[in-house]
DNA sequence: AAATTTAGTGAACAGTGTTTATTATCTAAC
DNA sequence: GTTAGATAATAAACACTGTTCACTAAATTT
């Protein structure tokens, strides 16, 4: 069935073309300023065509979110070979922040926007979130290794990982959502990195 | 000029009536499902009337945000009389989380939404954010007192305060934005409180 | 009593996400 | 090779959104 194969291939190609165009627009102009019609214009199709490939806008966003998580996972692999767990956590945090700064729109999609999560919970059961799941598992693994090797004191690895995740997410989210206007412009980025350094100092001293 | 006084009073009263109606709707139905027309319906005025009292929707949101910060400040006063700085920080964190859980819409308005910050930066200079400013100052004050009394090791109080703020904000934001679906439903709230407890354990041991 | 300021509105504009009836095209069976 | 049927794409519409503006009616001042 060569014809059916080609049809399927073309279908997934067009689907990916829509995703690519959408991501481009979102990154360039931000999520608030890009509509389904804009995306349709960019790929030179009718708006209704997009709905042949995606149930709705949220599903499109979820697909982009999953792609973004893959990209982040790839970038976070840079910390995979650091032996000391505390040092590895520190590197992870800085890599995470760096990702958030270099790709603010992707960060928003992955950790702030509601749309993709609505789609995730609609399509799968209440517990399935492929992208975020593996990202969090990465943190849990680092913490667990720290506990297993006796570097960290015994603890619930998942709540410790949550503490780490909340710390880095909190810093990035407060900054990207303009909540650091409480401090003078020139102090914002330095204070973030100092806060992160202090946090990992606490981890190294007392975890 | 008794008439002018009455007019001014009526004007601010109607303005507050709009804010009250809007807040009610937002809390009940969420920000995404409430439009300017819905608010106008609730107060039995035309949509255009709202624009006689607010420049645009963002300005209305900013006013509600400022009110919300006042409410939170009031609730956070419960921790004002705790002597030990580390214990005070812990109580602050739990009070903060409690507020976020009891008033998820207000939390969203204060710490996540873009709209109010757009209005804030439009009406004032790039550094004015009355609501958030005093909230953050409260954390800085606790930390500073800890440093001054020799309980905490000397540090930049603002970056330490940022670390604390990011921790509690991160936990609340991840939860409220459905990012804790990575763990089983029954673990989510417990893991949050464990993470917070671990964080303040680190603070007590090593700050 | 007339002129003027003020408060409020209906209707419109340009945009949004989404659905549906309709058309054109490409595939499969006779 | 022609006809019946699946597939792909669309134009047009629906019910919304935030916002503006010409216009009316009432209250105040002269």
């Amino acid at each position: 069935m060569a014809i059916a194969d080609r049809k399927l291939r073309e279908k997934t190609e067009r689907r990916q073309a829509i995703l690519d165009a959408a991501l481009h627009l979102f990154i360039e102009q931000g999520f608030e300023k890009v509509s389904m019609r804009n995306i349709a214009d960019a790929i030179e199709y009718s708006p209704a065509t997009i709905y042949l490939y995606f149930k709705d806008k949220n599903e499109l966003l979820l697909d982009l979110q999953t792609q973004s998580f893959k990209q982040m996972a790839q970038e976070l692999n840079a910390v995979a070979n650091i032996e000391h767990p505390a040092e590895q956590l520190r590197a992870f945090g800085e890599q995470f922040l760096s990702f958030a700064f270099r790709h603010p729109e992707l960060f928003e999609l992955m950790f702030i926007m509601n749309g993709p999560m609505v789609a995730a919970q609609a399509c799968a059961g209440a517990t399935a979130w492929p992208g975020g799941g593996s990202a969090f598992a990465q943190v849990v693994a680092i913490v667990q290794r720290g506990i297993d090797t006796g570097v960290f004191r015994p603890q619930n690895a998942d709540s410790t990982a949550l503490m780490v995740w909340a710390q880095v997410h909190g810093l990035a989210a407060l900054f990207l959502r303009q909540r650091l206007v409480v401090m003078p412009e020139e102090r914002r980025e330095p204070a973030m990195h100092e806060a992160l350094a202090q946090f990992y100092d606490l981890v190294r001293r007392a975890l």
Side-chain angles (χ1 to χ4, degrees), chain A residues 25-198:
Chain A
L25 288 176
F26 285 138
I27 287 175
E28 268 180 23
Q29 310 182 25
F31 288 98
E32 306 212 313
K33 301 201 166 161
V34 176
S35 69
M36 295 301 260
R37 281 174 177 83
N38 298 149
I39 300 171
D41 281 357
I43 56 175
E44 297 178 294
Y45 275 68
S46 148
T49 301
I50 300 180
Y51 290 86
L52 299 176
Y53 297 88
F54 300 91
K55 186 180 147 287
D56 56 19
K57 195 182 187 181
N58 285 343
E59 194 179 286
L60 194 158
L61 290 173
L62 176 59
D63 263 49
L64 288 180
Q65 197 207 48
T66 307
Q67 273 188 202
S68 304
F69 268 111
K70 284 192 185 127
Q71 185 181 335
M72 189 178 79
Q74 219 164 352
E75 295 194 21
L76 287 179
N77 263 347
V79 308
N81 294 325
I82 301 175
E83 314 95 293
H84 196 286
E87 186 56 41
Q88 193 179 14
L89 273 187
R90 208 189 62 84
F92 167 86
E94 267 168 25
Q95 200 72 23
F96 185 94
L97 269 199
S98 160
F99 180 89
F101 274 83
R102 280 177 294 121
H103 314 292
E105 303 299 328
L106 301 191
F107 180 84
E108 179 154 0
L109 189 59
M110 292 189 280
F111 295 111
I112 299 181
M113 287 179 73
N114 267 324
M117 304 313 287
V118 171
Q121 283 187 287
C123 89
T127 185
W129 183 37
S134 55
F136 183 64
Q138 217 173 333
V139 186
V140 176
I142 300 178
V143 171
Q144 188 64 58
R145 197 169 64 85
I147 295 172
D148 291 344
T149 58
V151 177
F152 297 152
R153 299 182 302 126
Q155 228 114 32
N156 268 352
D158 68 340
S159 56
T160 307
L162 178 55
M163 175 186 75
V164 172
W165 190 20
Q167 183 68 49
V168 293
H169 169 76
L171 287 172
L174 287 174
F175 182 87
L176 292 175
R177 287 282 159 140
Q178 321 286 355
R179 261 63 181 189
L180 296 195
V181 294
V182 292
M183 42 179 80
E185 158 94 76
E186 71 276 7
R187 270 297 292 160
R188 287 170 207 166
E189 277 204 57
M192 281 186 65
H193 287 99
E194 288 171 32
L196 194 62
Q198 275 191 47

